[in-house]
């Protein structure tokens, strides 16, 4: 398949990015002349939409507030073979896009994650850096260590990833959902380091370290319950059982010494906790079977879509993900 035959869409969520959005559109037009740039305005109160339109982007509107809602609408509306999702804050390197697409096509991947590489503390604040490391490590421990920058806002997707992704997130936790979806279905992915720069003067971050970090943690917990129900409910069962056994030890000692159970409320509590433990364990076993069925259906929906990549006779060379910007992982 020739590169010119591939439809490329650049998807830019936008909320009050009047300072930067035109530069983002122009940079991606220069890097990918054949691509269509879509800017989805998310109730901006400045002239972001007008500036994006004047720069040559196709501007659309998503009235439901939140990046997750915007990504849902983008993935549903736009038809392409390759999708680039990038923030509109002009912090990501548009010049890396051709290499990321080449990696996706030559290796026949479904997602290439652009891991942020920067030497500027102003570009990537210490709190955000630590939070990203903590959340990425947490997801890696639960679902598999295949990414070093789970919260990057710069990614390239295949059509079959986009059209089989059941997006549910409403806000910045959408990156967590994208990552876990790829890990859960064992999709072929790669991560490549790309330059990350600080915001231009006048541009402010919409990310709140604590509130958005809390929402991401809750999303991870929700995904763990949905995708790893046996482990989740077995842990709950273990907590109930541990508390119940701890409370039962003094009761048993008293019973062995006197033959009496003087503290009936505690005895009833112990019985209740052990019943809850058994119910939690049974729920985990049942939901694990249900989850396996859901995973199979998602895999079948994914396989219904044709992959996009270079033909073996096209002259493409392997190792496209080993770019000069630094290869991290290819699976």
């Amino acid at each position: 398949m020739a590169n010119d035959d591939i439809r490329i869409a650049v998807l830019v969520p936008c909320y009050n990015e009047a300072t930067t959005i035109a530069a983002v559109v122009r940079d991606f037009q220069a890097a990918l002349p054949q691509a269509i740039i879509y800017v989805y305005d998310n109730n901006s109160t400045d002239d972001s939409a007008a500036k994006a339109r004047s720069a040559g982007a196709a501007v659309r509107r998503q009235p439901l507030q939140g990046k997750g809602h915007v990504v849902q609408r983008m993935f549903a509306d736009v038809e392409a073979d390759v999708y680039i999702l990038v923030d509109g804050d002009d912090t990501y390197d548009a010049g890396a896009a051709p290499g990321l697409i080449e990696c996706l096509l030559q290796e026949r991947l479904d997602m290439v994650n652009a891991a942020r590489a920067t030497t500027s503390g102003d570009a990537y604040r210490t709190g955000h850096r630590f939070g990203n490391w903590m959340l990425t490590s947490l997801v890696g421990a639960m679902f598999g260590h295949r990414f070093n920058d789970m919260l990057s806002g710069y990614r390239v997707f295949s059509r079959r990833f986009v059209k089989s992704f059941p997006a549910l997130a409403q806000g910045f936790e959408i990156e967590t959902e994208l990552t876990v979806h790829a890990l859960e279905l064992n999709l072929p992915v790669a991560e490549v380091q790309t330059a990350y720069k600080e915001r231009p003067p006048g541009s402010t971050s919409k990310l709140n370290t604590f509130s958005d970090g809390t929402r991401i943690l809750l999303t991870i917990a929700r995904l763990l319950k949905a995708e790893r129900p046996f482990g989740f409910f077995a842990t709950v069962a273990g907590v109930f059982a541990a508390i119940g056994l701890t409370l039962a030890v003094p009761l048993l000692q008293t019973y062995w010494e006197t033959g009496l159970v003087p503290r009936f409320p505690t005895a009833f509590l112990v019985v209740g906790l052990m019943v809850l433990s058994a119910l939690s364990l049974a729920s985990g076993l049942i939901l694990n079977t249900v989850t396996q069925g859901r995973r199979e259906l998602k895999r079948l929906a994914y396989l219904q879509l044709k992959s996009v990549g270079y033909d073996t006779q096209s002259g493409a060379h392997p190792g496209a993900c080993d770019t000069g910007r630094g290869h991290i992982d290819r699976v």
Side-chain angles (χ1 to χ4, degrees):
M1 180 178 290
N3 214 357
D4 293 339
D5 297 330
I6 297 174
R7 299 172 298 168
I8 301 173
V10 180
L11 309 179
V12 188
C14 180
Y15 174 64
N16 288 345
E17 299 288 4
T19 305
T20 58
I21 192 64
V24 172
V25 173
R26 287 194 295 266
D27 288 347
F28 275 95
Q29 286 173 335
L32 299 168
Q34 74 275 37
I36 300 176
I37 317 295
Y38 295 91
V39 173
Y40 273 66
D41 181 59
N42 193 207
N43 301 317
S44 295
T45 56
D46 58 16
D47 57 349
S48 296
K51 290 193 174 184
R53 191 176 293 109
S54 65
V59 178
R60 298 177 180 177
R61 183 170 177 269
Q62 168 57 290
L64 294 177
Q65 194 66 41
K67 185 178 180 180
H69 287 305
V70 178
V71 172
Q72 290 178 33
R73 182 70 178 270
M74 288 173 160
F75 284 6
D77 288 355
V78 178
E79 297 294 331
D81 298 310
V82 174
Y83 298 79
I84 299 175
L85 178 65
V86 65
D87 292 339
D89 55 10
D90 196 25
T91 56
Y92 293 98
D93 180 17
L100 297 174
I101 293 173
E102 196 76 5
C103 174
L104 184 92
L105 296 176
Q106 288 192 10
E107 301 288 342
R108 291 187 175 273
L109 304 176
D110 287 307
M111 182 174 74
V112 178
N113 188 54
R116 291 166 286 186
T118 179
T119 57
S120 171
D122 293 333
Y124 201 3
R125 288 181 289 173
T126 303
H128 288 179
R129 193 190 301 270
F130 173 77
N132 186 21
W133 171 81
M134 181 189 70
L135 295 170
T136 300
S137 300
L138 186 60
V139 167
M142 295 175 179
F143 299 99
H145 293 278
R146 296 171 70 185
F147 297 102
N148 293 318
D149 187 4
M150 179 191 74
L151 301 181
S152 172
Y154 191 13
R155 303 171 189 238
V156 179
F157 303 99
S158 68
R159 174 181 172 79
R160 65 180 180 179
F161 184 105
V162 166
K163 297 303 181 182
S164 65
F165 172 60
L168 297 174
Q170 299 178 7
F172 286 106
E173 64 272 21
I174 185 66
E175 282 92 359
T176 304
E177 277 199 353
L178 290 165
T179 301
V180 171
H181 179 70
L183 295 174
E184 270 300 279
L185 294 187
N186 292 321
L187 303 185
V189 298
E191 188 174 68
V192 178
Q193 282 189 334
T194 59
Y196 184 71
K197 57 186 178 181
E198 60 186 287
R199 282 174 169 265
S203 175
T204 57
S205 175
K206 314 304 182 298
L207 180 66
N208 184 289
T209 303
F210 296 103
S211 64
D212 288 309
T214 300
R215 291 185 65 176
I216 292 169
L217 276 173
L218 292 175
T219 298
I220 293 173
R222 175 177 61 81
L223 291 171
L224 179 65
K225 180 176 71 68
E227 305 297 341
R228 297 284 192 274
F230 180 73
F232 181 87
F233 284 100
T235 301
V236 174
V239 171
F240 283 140
I243 296 173
L245 291 173
T246 301
L247 295 174
V249 169
L251 295 178
L252 292 173
Q253 289 177 339
T254 302
Y255 178 76
W256 288 331
E257 293 171 358
T258 66
L260 301 174
V261 182
R263 290 178 287 175
F264 279 104
T266 303
F268 294 148
L269 178 59
V270 168
V271 172
L273 287 170
M274 299 309 293
V275 169
L276 287 174
S277 177
L279 288 174
S280 295
L281 189 61
S283 298
L285 290 169
I286 295 169
L287 290 174
N288 192 62
T289 303
V290 175
T291 298
Q292 181 63 29
R294 289 176 52 248
R295 190 177 298 122
E296 291 171 355
L297 290 175
K298 286 193 289 186
R299 183 74 185 181
L300 288 173
Y302 160 81
L303 292 173
Q304 294 298 311
L305 300 164
K306 184 175 67 173
S307 66
V308 177
Y310 289 124
D311 294 331
T312 54
Q313 288 86 17
S314 66
H317 300 288
C321 296
D322 299 313
T323 66
R325 297 176 182 85
H327 170 255
I328 297 177
D329 186 33
R330 181 172 66 248
V331 181

